[in-house]
Amino acid sequence: MHVLILGGTTEARELAGLLAERGRTVTSSLAGRVSAPRLPRGTVRIGGFGGPRGLAEWLRDHHVTALVDATHPFAARISANAAEAAARTGVPLLALRRPGWTPAPGDRWHPADSLAHAAHLLPALADRVFLTTGRSGLAAFAGLDDLWFLVRSVDPPEGVLPRRTEVLLDRGPYTLQGEREVLREHRIGVLVTKDSGGAATAAKLVAAREAGLPVVVVRRPPAVEGVEVAEDVERAARWVRERTG
């Protein structure tokens, strides 16, 4: 009984540990985009599979009996590849997705459909931007020369950056007090985030609410149709147990 977890998230690490404790053979696959990832229990492989066909071959060659897609909610391509590979092989597939954030009283959220849409909204909101959307895709903001950006990421950003940019290398979870200090020290006027969900990075939303700041929230890509979803680790572990005995 071999479970493959497409991981990189907190929930993926928690699930790997829980399944290992319960005697399951677990392999966690990480994309390799972070230089020093937090490793889960069990076997770990790093790097891509070569698309859905390569993933299907890996599932067959390693006798995988259950596949869990516990990647980031915005890893749409990986999720689509997992669905196609599962369909090719008949391996049961579950998507482990933490719920998205919901606005609270006092929030000033501005939904965006993409990073490009978020960039379009910014000039009307403020001229000092706290950008917490990760290290990729920042070229969408590169033409906003009148704005100043604080870009936070685990590793140095890649690709083209806005002309007026300061980079803050840091890794969550983040505290509320720490987020308050970031907003105050850098005189932030607007926060930009993806709707990642979870508690590890939610403190910035509370800090922005307290400061009365607008928040541009990039919506998640659509979920892959036909794939069963669990919103927490215990439900995912139960799903694995039901399919692997």
Side-chain angles (χ1 to χ4, degrees):
M1 299 176 185
H2 185 189
V3 182
L4 174 63
I5 300 175
L6 305 179
T9 60
T10 301
E11 291 79 12
R13 291 190 296 273
E14 292 176 355
L15 179 61
L18 187 57
L19 294 178
E21 289 176 1
R22 297 176 181 178
R24 298 294 191 274
T25 299
V26 181
T27 299
S28 295
S29 178
L30 309 181
R33 294 174 181 169
V34 177
S35 60
R38 291 170 175 160
L39 299 180
R41 290 183 58 182
T43 302
V44 177
R45 70 174 301 279
I46 296 179
F49 293 92
R53 180 177 297 179
L55 176 54
E57 291 176 357
W58 201 97
L59 296 176
R60 294 191 190 99
D61 293 345
H62 294 81
H63 308 289
V64 172
T65 49
L67 173 61
V68 180
D69 171 17
T71 56
H72 193 275
F74 284 80
R77 179 176 298 178
I78 298 174
S79 296
N81 289 349
E84 185 174 338
R88 286 173 179 258
T89 59
V91 174
L93 169 64
L94 177 75
L96 173 54
R97 292 284 181 269
R98 68 181 83 118
W101 291 314
T102 56
D107 280 330
R108 298 172 55 198
W109 284 16
H110 298 262
D113 295 324
S114 64
L115 292 178
H117 185 196
H120 175 75
L121 297 175
L122 287 178
L125 296 175
D127 59 4
R128 295 184 67 84
V129 184
F130 185 20
L131 198 53
T132 65
T133 56
R135 68 187 185 121
S136 60
L138 301 180
F141 304 90
L144 300 176
D145 292 343
D146 293 335
L147 307 186
W148 179 91
F149 291 85
L150 177 66
V151 174
R152 182 167 68 188
S153 60
V154 176
D155 290 321
E158 55 188 24
V160 179
L161 299 178
R163 184 174 62 84
R164 302 170 63 202
T165 295
E166 179 176 335
V167 175
L168 174 62
L169 298 182
D170 200 2
R171 184 197 299 264
Y174 303 103
T175 67
L176 177 56
Q177 184 56 35
E179 298 293 60
R180 289 167 175 159
E181 292 173 359
V182 169
L183 298 183
R184 182 173 58 252
E185 177 182 348
H186 297 279
R187 296 179 287 116
I188 298 299
V190 59
L191 168 68
V192 182
T193 182
K194 293 178 177 177
D195 182 16
S196 301
T201 60
K204 61 189 174 186
L205 300 175
V206 179
R209 182 189 313 137
E210 290 178 346
L213 300 183
V215 180
V216 177
V217 181
V218 181
R219 295 186 178 99
R220 295 181 176 188
V224 179
E225 291 186 8
V227 176
E228 187 173 352
V229 177
E231 292 188 340
D232 61 63
V233 172
E234 279 294 342
R235 293 182 186 179
R238 190 180 314 125
W239 179 91
V240 170
R241 184 176 65 250
E242 291 170 352
R243 281 149 185 82
T244 60

